Amino acid sequence: MTLFGKIEAEVEIKVSAETFHDIFSCRPHHISNMSPAKIQNVDLHEGEWGKPGTVICWSYVHDGVAKTAKEVIEAIDDEKLSTTFKVIEGDITTEYKNFILIVQATPKGEGSCLVHWTLEYEKLNENVPDPQTLLEFCIHCSKEIEDHHLTQLPTAQA
C-alpha cells in the first residue's frame, strides 16, 4: 500500500468562476458566512489576503468534530482561476505528513462554473484512510457557497 495519494472531485455550481476563485484566493474569511455549519472561522495569521505566502487558520467542523487547519497559500493563478493551499499545522497533520488542496473554477455557461478539487497527500502510515470524507466536505462547502449566492441574488438585483 502506498502512502502517497491524490483524489479529485468536481461539482457544477451556479456561481461565476471568477467569483468563486475570488472567494478562495482573496476572501476565504467570508466562507464562514456562506457555509456556517462547516466553516466557523478563517483567520489571517501572516501576510495579506489574496497573496501567495499568506498563512491562514481554518476552524471547521468535519465529521461532526471541531477541527483546525493552518495553511499557507502556496499559489494563486488568476488565469486558471486556481488556488493551492498547503496544510502546515492542525488536525490533518495528525494523519498526514503532507497535505495540499487545490481548488480550480472553470467557467461553464452564463454565471456558472465547474469547481474541481484536488487533494494530494502523504499519509503518516498505511493505516490512515484516504481523505475521501474531506473531499466530500470540500464539495459540500462549494454547494453551500452556491446556495448563499443564489439566496443573495434577489437582494443584489433589487
Side-chain angles (χ1 to χ4, degrees), residues 28 42-57 70-74 88-89:
V42 182
D43 292 321
L44 180 67
H45 276 259
E46 189 178 306
E48 302 177 42
W49 295 116
K51 304 285 185 195
T54 296
V55 178
I56 60 177
C57 186
K70 187 182 271 188
E71 300 175 344
V72 62
I73 299 175
E74 285 206 320
I88 56 174
E89 286 179 26

Side-chain angles (χ1 to χ4, degrees), residues 18-36 38-60 69-76 78 82-86 101 103 117 137 141-142 145 148-149:
E18 294 78 9
T19 298
F20 191 86
H21 172 66
D22 182 63
I23 291 166
F24 275 92
S25 65
C26 299
R27 299 183 291 125
H29 53 294
H30 291 188
I31 297 172
S32 61
N33 296 328
M34 300 174 205
S35 184
K38 292 183 176 36
I39 308 294
Q40 273 60 64
N41 207 14
V42 182
D43 292 321
L44 180 67
H45 276 259
E46 189 178 306
E48 302 177 42
W49 295 116
K51 304 285 185 195
T54 296
V55 178
I56 60 177
C57 186
W58 299 77
S59 298
Y60 62 101
K70 187 182 271 188
E71 300 175 344
V72 62
I73 299 175
E74 285 206 320
I76 297 173
D78 291 329
S82 172
T83 306
T84 303
F85 301 92
K86 180 178 182 176
L101 299 95
V103 58
W117 285 93
F137 175 91
C141 282
S142 301
I145 289 169
H148 174 82
H149 276 80

Side-chain angles (χ1 to χ4, degrees), residues 2-151:
T2 181
L3 298 179
F4 293 90
K6 176 179 175 178
I7 57 176
E8 302 175 74
E10 55 189 27
V11 61
E12 185 175 341
I13 62 171
K14 292 177 183 82
V15 176
S16 76
E18 294 78 9
T19 298
F20 191 86
H21 172 66
D22 182 63
I23 291 166
F24 275 92
S25 65
C26 299
R27 299 183 291 125
H29 53 294
H30 291 188
I31 297 172
S32 61
N33 296 328
M34 300 174 205
S35 184
K38 292 183 176 36
I39 308 294
Q40 273 60 64
N41 207 14
V42 182
D43 292 321
L44 180 67
H45 276 259
E46 189 178 306
E48 302 177 42
W49 295 116
K51 304 285 185 195
T54 296
V55 178
I56 60 177
C57 186
W58 299 77
S59 298
Y60 62 101
V61 176
H62 175 236
D63 288 341
V65 179
K67 298 183 178 185
T68 61
K70 187 182 271 188
E71 300 175 344
V72 62
I73 299 175
E74 285 206 320
I76 297 173
D77 187 330
D78 291 329
E79 286 184 25
K80 293 183 179 176
L81 304 177
S82 172
T83 306
T84 303
F85 301 92
K86 180 178 182 176
V87 178
I88 56 174
E89 286 179 26
D91 293 281
I92 291 172
T93 61
T94 63
E95 295 185 309
Y96 300 92
K97 182 177 180 180
N98 292 306
F99 203 95
I100 293 173
L101 299 95
I102 303 162
V103 58
Q104 181 176 15
T106 304
K108 188 171 170 64
E110 186 66 33
S112 66
C113 70
L114 197 59
V115 176
H116 188 94
W117 285 93
T118 304
L119 308 184
E120 298 175 358
Y121 54 91
E122 179 183 358
K123 300 175 186 180
L124 287 175
N125 62 62
E126 62 186 31
N127 297 322
V128 173
D130 290 334
Q132 191 63 43
T133 62
L134 196 55
L135 183 61
E136 292 165 9
F137 175 91
C138 294
I139 293 296
H140 287 276
C141 282
S142 301
K143 293 296 286 178
E144 288 183 347
I145 289 169
E146 173 190 45
D147 291 344
H148 174 82
H149 276 80
L150 290 176
T151 59

